[in-house]
């Protein structure tokens, strides 16, 4: 179906704004509502209110210069007021407001010299068009080249094509929440009878929010059901290698690590395929947990693959695991673009970047795939990964970015989740301080004591080159500054625009104590483990989100020496910036920090950046609609349990819902069963 009256030019703009399908227009939610039904006499006007007045045009007072307003004097039988314009030509104003005519004018009421006025009214129409203005007006998100009038006309045309659809929400859920039908809800969202201050009291909006979250949760539950019923590889516990690994450890595993090792081991032993997410705060010891899973895999004559997002992290995993298994008579291979030689695809443990699955490489006899730092994976990517890895092998995803409960429900409901909150024993809490940038000279002086103790320092800057717009400290200028203050040989630089070989060379020098201060962008957020690095300095810390600050801080505190994180800031600070720095100084708990980050920034900003695996909702706001998400999850679980292929009469309606929100993963699953 197509909408009449929209030319090719506007069609392209609308597609760019909200999508190419009619349903995309229907789901283009108003950003706000303006009530223009208030139509008092001039004598009853209230300053600051939105009013629609019917007035007679009395006279025009042109502007003498550009600084002066063009004033139109108007009246009704109760008094006088003005309509004011700046930087508009007189002929145009005289055309829309001719003297002696009656006009409907709507806008915000102001007061100047005890006289009411409307500056640049939103609407000026003839009296016969009063009803077109005197209503609740939707304010839509727009883009360049698109006007409210065009988008409203297009949406109303789309609404005229809407049919009554079969009900996909269970009757008891509808009755409990007193929700109207989908057709009524979508119509009332664009043509409301009343204006609510928020969505909480708006049953029409609430219903549509549930639909969106319900569709997404249905998708997740269908995929989880498919995976849990897929025959996996049963890898019985034999414990020989696991015991040998445990006996040679130079540290004691934490309670959380022991619990997680057992959870994963039970999954591996079962006949169903494993898809588990391992959340572990920075420095909590996820790698050793994954290694125990690899031991169980190898004992059953299967090989393991570990993928990391960067070559630095892949090489670190390789070195760490190689050391752990050095006395176990096992083989480990590193496969990256930089390491072009000695690629051993027959090793017991294969480690590399995501290129492992992008290259035309056939892996055989794989029992376990471990993906590190993959909080960015969405359901679609996980299904693709599942197919490439071989549908029967187990998959373990790991992330050092603690995920708030709301995010877990929204993005990872198809997975089992394990958490490691405990830090290794004898690991000291990192002391965190905030310092104004104007005290940087004192800071540099105090760092001399750290360097004299043969300890190393990270210094993180946001940009590679100076930016006049943001006025943030660049790594290049900071490197030059520090080289002047300290020895030029003791300061190194690493950033994302360097080649992999260049980065590896600098990191190697830092690791081998040839560089004492490493200046970097947030490229070091993941992938570096150096117990001799005891100070983390984050410049322009007020510009970072809480979770990223916590990740950066986690690069120190890896040894037994007390470590410190210095948050350099430039005032004045916003209230949110003050709150972020305060939270960082008060806690090292990444899970608590993740919840605070969600509360401060809101889901939208987090989803748009770091948590890109989480759906981009159009009607829902995870900050406000957590309770609806919980309910949608419960309803979806019940439905998939009773009707896993959505073949019953209600299931057919729910298939319509999935098509409506274009949840292609679920649609494809239902086709294949």
């Amino acid at each position: 179906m197509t909408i009449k009256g929209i030319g090719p030019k506007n069609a392209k703009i609308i597609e760019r704004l909200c999508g190419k399908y009619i349903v995309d227009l229907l789901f283009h939610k108003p950003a706000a509502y303006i009530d223009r039904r208030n139509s008092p006499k001039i004598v009853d006007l209230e300053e600051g209110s939105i009013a629609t007045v019917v007035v007679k045009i009395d006279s025009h007072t042109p502007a003498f210069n550009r600084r002066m307003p063009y004033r139109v004097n108007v009246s009704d039988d109760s008094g006088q007021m003005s309509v004011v314009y700046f930087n508009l030509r007189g002929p145009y104003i005289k055309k829309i407001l001719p003297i002696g005519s009656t006009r409907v004018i709507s806008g915000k009421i102001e007061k100047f010299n005890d006289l009411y006025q409307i500056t640049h009214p939103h609407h000026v129409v003839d009296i016969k068009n009063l009803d077109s203005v005197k209503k609740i007006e939707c304010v839509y998100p727009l883009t360049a080249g698109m006007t409210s009038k065009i988008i409203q006309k297009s949406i109303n045309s789309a609404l005229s094509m809407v049919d009554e659809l079969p009900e996909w929400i269970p009757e008891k859920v509808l009755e409990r929440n007193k929700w109207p039908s989908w057709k009524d809800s979508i119509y009332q969202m664009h043509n409301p009878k009343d204006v609510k201050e928020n969505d909480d009291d708006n049953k029409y909006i609430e219903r549509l929010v549930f639909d969106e979250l319900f569709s997404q949760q249905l998708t997740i539950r269908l995929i989880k059901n498919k995976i849990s019923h897929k025959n996996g590889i049963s890898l019985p516990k034999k414990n020989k290698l696991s015991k040998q690994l445990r006996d040679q450890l130079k540290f004691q595993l934490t309670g959380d690590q022991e619990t997680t090792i057992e959870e994963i081991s039970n999954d591996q032993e079962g006949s169903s395929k494993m898809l588990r997410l391992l959340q572990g705060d920075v420095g909590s010891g996820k790698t050793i947990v994954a290694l125990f899973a690899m031991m169980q895999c190898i004992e059953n004559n299967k090989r393991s693959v570990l993928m990391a997002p960067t070559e630095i992290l892949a090489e670190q995993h390789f070195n760490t695991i190689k050391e752990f298994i050095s006395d176990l008579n096992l083989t480990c291979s590193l496969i990256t673009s930089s390491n072009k030689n000695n690629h051993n695809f027959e090793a017991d443990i294969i480690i590399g970047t995501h290129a492992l699955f992008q290259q035309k490489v056939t892996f055989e006899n794989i029992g376990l795939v471990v993906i590190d730092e993959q909080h960015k994976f969405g359901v679609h990517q996980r299904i693709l990964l599942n197919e490439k890895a071989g549908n029967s092998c187990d998959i373990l995803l790991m992330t050092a970015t603690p995920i708030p409960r709301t995010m877990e429900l929204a993005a990872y409901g198809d997975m089992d989740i394990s958490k490691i909150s405990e830090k290794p024993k004898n690991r000291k809490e990192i002391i965190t301080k905030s310092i104004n940038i104007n005290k940087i000279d004192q800071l540099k002086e105090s760092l001399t004591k750290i360097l004299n103790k043969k300890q190393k320092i990270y210094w993180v800057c946001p940009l590679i080159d100076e930016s006049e717009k943001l006025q943030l400290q660049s790594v290049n200028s900071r490197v030059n500054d520090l080289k002047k203050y300290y020895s030029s040989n003791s300061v190194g630089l690493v950033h994302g625009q360097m080649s992999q070989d260049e980065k590896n060379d600098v990191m190697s020098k830092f690791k081998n104590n040839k560089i004492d201060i490493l200046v970097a962008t947030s490229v070091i957020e993941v992938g570096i483990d150096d117990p001799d690095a005891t100070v983390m300095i984050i410049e322009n810390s007020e510009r970072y989100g809480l979770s990223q600050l916590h990740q950066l801080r986690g690069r120190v505190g890896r040894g037994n020496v007390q470590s410190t994180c210095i948050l350099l800031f430039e005032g004045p600070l916003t209230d949110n910036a003050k709150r972020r720095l305060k939270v960082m100084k008060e806690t090292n708990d990444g899970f608590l920090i993740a919840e605070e980050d969600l509360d401060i920034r809101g889901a939208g900003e987090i989803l748009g950046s770091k948590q890109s695996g989480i759906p981009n909702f159009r009607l829902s706001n995870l900050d406000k609609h957590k309770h609806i998400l919980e309910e949608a999850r419960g309803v979806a679980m019940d439905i998939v349990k009773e009707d896993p292929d959505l073949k019953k009469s209600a299931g057919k309606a729910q298939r319509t819902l999935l098509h409506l929100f274009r949840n292609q993963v679920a649609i494809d699953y239902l086709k294949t069963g």
Side-chain angles (χ1 to χ4, degrees):
M1 289 191 292
T2 58
I3 298 175
K4 295 179 180 179
I6 299 179
K9 181 180 178 182
N10 284 333
K12 287 184 178 179
I13 297 174
I14 290 175
E15 182 177 341
R16 189 171 71 243
L17 175 63
C18 55
K20 64 180 180 179
Y21 297 102
I22 291 175
V23 73
D24 293 326
L25 263 176
L26 296 175
F27 290 152
H28 192 58
K29 183 182 175 184
Y33 297 98
I34 300 175
D35 192 346
R36 299 194 184 279
R37 295 173 299 176
N38 177 34
S39 186
K41 294 288 187 179
I42 290 176
V43 70
D44 297 321
L45 291 174
E46 294 182 7
E47 187 177 3
S49 67
I50 298 292
T52 300
V53 293
V54 179
V55 294
K56 180 184 176 185
I57 313 304
D58 296 327
S59 63
H60 288 234
T61 305
F64 294 112
N65 55 56
R66 290 186 177 181
R67 296 180 182 178
M68 299 291 290
Y70 190 112
R71 194 173 295 275
V72 181
N73 306 303
V74 302
S75 64
D76 64 12
D77 57 13
S78 72
Q80 295 180 321
M81 64 177 292
S82 297
V83 179
V84 177
Y85 292 96
F86 288 88
N87 301 320
L88 273 185
R89 297 171 66 90
Y92 171 77
I93 300 174
K94 289 177 180 177
K95 182 179 179 181
I96 63 171
L97 293 169
I99 295 174
S101 65
T102 300
R103 288 288 183 265
V104 177
I105 298 172
S106 186
K108 187 175 182 179
I109 304 301
E110 302 169 342
K111 215 168 190 180
F112 181 75
N113 289 340
D114 294 326
L115 190 70
Y116 288 117
Q117 67 180 34
I118 296 177
T119 302
H120 286 275
H122 302 126
H123 296 279
V124 176
V125 300
D126 189 86
I127 184 64
K128 64 183 180 183
N129 295 318
L130 173 62
D131 291 341
S132 69
V133 177
K134 193 178 172 182
K135 63 179 185 178
I136 297 174
E137 180 182 302
C138 296
V139 180
Y140 291 99
L142 299 174
T143 189
M146 181 54 55
T147 65
S148 295
K149 187 175 181 180
I150 294 173
I151 199 73
Q152 180 75 70
K153 179 183 177 183
S154 303
I155 288 172
N156 284 335
S157 295
L159 286 170
S160 68
M161 304 166 71
V162 171
D163 292 324
E164 199 69 66
L165 297 176
E167 185 54 73
W168 45 74
I169 300 178
E171 188 175 345
K172 62 181 181 180
V173 179
L174 278 176
E175 292 176 354
R176 182 172 66 243
N177 291 286
K178 297 181 173 59
W179 285 333
S181 70
W182 179 81
K183 183 178 180 180
D184 285 346
S185 298
I186 204 75
Y187 183 84
Q188 288 297 327
M189 182 171 77
H190 298 291
N191 295 276
K193 297 175 183 175
D194 195 8
V195 174
K196 301 289 185 182
E197 290 185 2
N198 53 55
D199 292 349
D200 298 338
D201 299 323
N202 190 324
K203 290 297 179 182
Y204 301 106
I205 298 290
E206 193 176 88
R207 152 78 202 235
L208 296 173
V209 166
F210 180 85
D211 287 339
E212 182 173 45
L213 295 174
F214 181 37
S215 172
Q216 189 264 343
Q217 287 295 304
L218 260 181
T219 298
I220 281 179
R221 301 317 298 183
L222 287 167
I223 298 306
K224 182 173 178 60
N225 183 67
K226 180 179 181 179
I227 290 173
S228 64
H229 287 85
K230 184 177 285 295
N231 290 330
I233 307 168
S234 179
L235 304 173
K237 301 176 186 178
K238 298 182 180 178
N239 294 328
K240 181 181 178 182
L241 280 176
S242 299
K243 186 177 184 304
Q244 290 177 3
L245 175 60
R246 191 181 292 273
D247 289 343
Q248 72 171 32
L249 292 180
K250 298 176 183 178
F251 54 86
Q252 184 179 348
L253 295 171
T254 65
D256 280 356
Q257 285 176 314
E258 294 283 14
T259 299
T260 302
I261 289 170
E262 185 67 18
E263 289 173 344
I264 295 171
S265 177
N266 290 338
D267 282 355
Q268 291 178 286
E269 191 170 34
S271 58
S272 298
K273 179 182 175 66
M274 176 179 77
L275 180 57
R276 182 173 288 273
L277 173 67
L278 173 56
Q279 290 189 62
D281 204 354
V282 285
S284 62
K286 297 182 296 301
T287 304
I288 189 65
V289 169
L291 187 54
F292 273 97
M294 293 176 187
M295 295 300 101
Q296 188 162 332
C297 193
I298 295 168
E299 284 183 324
N300 286 277
N301 300 313
K302 294 287 182 180
R303 291 182 288 120
S304 300
V305 174
L306 170 59
M307 290 201 302
T310 65
E311 291 197 10
I312 292 176
L313 185 53
E315 188 171 348
Q316 179 179 297
H317 278 309
F318 174 72
N319 292 330
T320 300
I321 288 175
K322 193 174 180 182
E323 184 176 345
F324 276 131
I325 66 172
S326 58
D327 297 328
L328 301 183
N329 196 30
L330 300 176
T331 55
C332 183
S333 175
L334 176 65
I335 299 176
T336 66
S337 57
S338 297
N339 176 34
K340 292 182 171 53
N341 300 320
N342 303 319
H343 281 184
N344 179 10
F345 294 101
E346 302 298 322
D348 297 308
I349 300 171
I350 300 168
I351 300 172
T353 60
H354 299 138
L356 284 173
F357 279 119
Q358 293 167 359
Q359 295 171 353
K360 294 180 179 178
V361 176
T362 302
F363 293 101
E364 295 181 357
N365 205 30
I366 300 296
L368 173 69
V369 174
V370 181
I371 316 292
D372 196 16
E373 289 302 334
Q374 274 314 299
H375 50 280
K376 293 186 177 183
F377 263 36
V379 176
H380 293 68
Q381 293 95 325
R382 290 201 286 274
I383 296 300
L384 181 64
L385 172 65
N386 179 56
E387 292 170 351
K388 286 189 175 182
N391 282 318
S392 58
C393 77
D394 294 326
I395 295 180
L396 176 66
L397 303 187
M398 303 196 302
T399 178
T401 303
I403 302 165
R405 167 69 176 165
T406 307
M407 302 289 195
E408 282 184 17
L409 295 182
Y412 300 104
D414 60 321
M415 309 178 70
D416 296 307
I417 296 178
S418 295
K419 293 183 180 180
I420 305 177
S421 300
E422 289 179 84
K423 297 289 176 64
K425 288 178 170 54
N426 302 320
R427 184 71 59 85
K428 292 182 172 66
E429 293 277 286
I430 301 168
I431 297 171
T432 303
K433 303 175 182 178
S434 59
I435 298 177
N436 195 301
I437 192 71
N438 60 24
K439 295 182 179 178
I440 195 167
D441 289 338
Q442 296 97 305
L443 173 62
K444 286 189 289 187
E445 183 179 350
S446 68
L447 293 177
T448 305
K449 299 175 183 177
I450 301 295
L451 297 174
N452 289 339
K453 294 178 183 178
K454 304 299 181 183
Q455 296 173 20
K456 288 178 283 186
I457 299 164
Y458 293 116
W459 194 303
V460 176
C461 302
L463 300 177
I464 296 170
D465 295 304
E466 291 287 6
S467 167
E468 293 181 3
K469 288 184 179 179
L470 294 178
Q471 292 295 305
L472 302 183
Q473 180 64 53
S474 76
V475 284
N476 286 328
S477 65
R478 181 54 68 204
V479 164
N480 293 332
D481 171 55
L482 295 177
K483 281 184 175 181
K484 290 177 183 177
Y485 194 89
Y486 306 102
S487 163
S488 61
N489 294 329
S490 66
V491 180
L493 169 64
V494 63
H495 57 71
Q497 292 187 12
M498 295 168 64
S499 70
Q500 194 62 49
D501 288 341
E502 289 173 322
K503 284 188 281 190
N504 288 342
D505 179 58
V506 175
M507 293 306 305
S508 176
K509 289 179 180 177
F510 187 66
K511 185 81 172 175
N512 295 319
N513 303 314
K514 295 178 181 178
I515 292 173
D516 301 317
I517 303 174
L518 180 64
V519 182
T521 60
S522 54
V523 68
I524 67 162
E525 184 180 341
V526 296
I528 297 176
D529 188 358
D530 190 336
D532 295 327
T534 62
V535 177
M536 166 63 72
I537 298 168
I538 306 173
E539 200 152 347
N540 294 112
S541 59
E542 73 277 8
R543 303 292 182 112
Y544 289 87
L546 258 177
S547 291
Q548 193 176 25
L549 288 173
H550 181 62
Q551 289 294 308
L552 288 168
R553 175 171 63 181
R555 295 306 101 204
V556 297
R558 296 303 181 106
N560 297 323
V561 179
Q562 180 65 63
S563 292
T564 305
C565 177
I566 305 295
L567 305 174
L568 279 176
F569 68 89
E570 185 173 1
L573 295 175
T574 64
D575 289 341
N576 279 344
K578 289 177 183 176
R579 185 176 169 189
R580 285 196 296 271
L581 299 189
K582 183 174 183 289
V583 170
M584 285 292 293
K585 288 187 286 185
E586 290 178 347
T587 182
N588 277 254
D589 185 337
F591 290 94
L592 176 60
I593 284 172
E595 294 292 346
E596 287 286 337
D597 200 22
L598 177 64
D599 189 46
I600 292 173
R601 290 199 290 165
E605 188 173 338
I606 293 177
L607 305 192
S609 53
K610 287 290 179 185
Q611 306 285 346
S612 59
I614 297 175
N616 182 23
F617 295 119
R618 301 180 62 178
L619 303 171
S620 313
N621 182 325
L622 292 183
D623 307 330
K624 294 164 57 176
H625 299 135
K626 295 177 186 178
H627 62 295
I628 300 179
L629 176 62
E630 291 274 6
E631 182 159 21
R633 176 175 180 264
V635 175
M637 289 176 70
D638 291 342
I639 286 173
V640 174
K641 186 177 181 180
E642 296 175 8
D643 186 14
D645 294 315
L646 301 186
K647 289 184 176 179
K648 297 179 181 179
S649 57
K652 293 177 182 177
Q654 284 139 15
R655 286 172 178 251
T656 300
L657 172 70
L658 294 173
H659 279 281
L660 203 63
F661 283 96
R662 299 209 300 283
N663 277 310
Q664 195 60 45
V665 172
I667 294 166
D668 292 344
Y669 157 73
L670 291 169
K671 286 179 182 177
T672 60

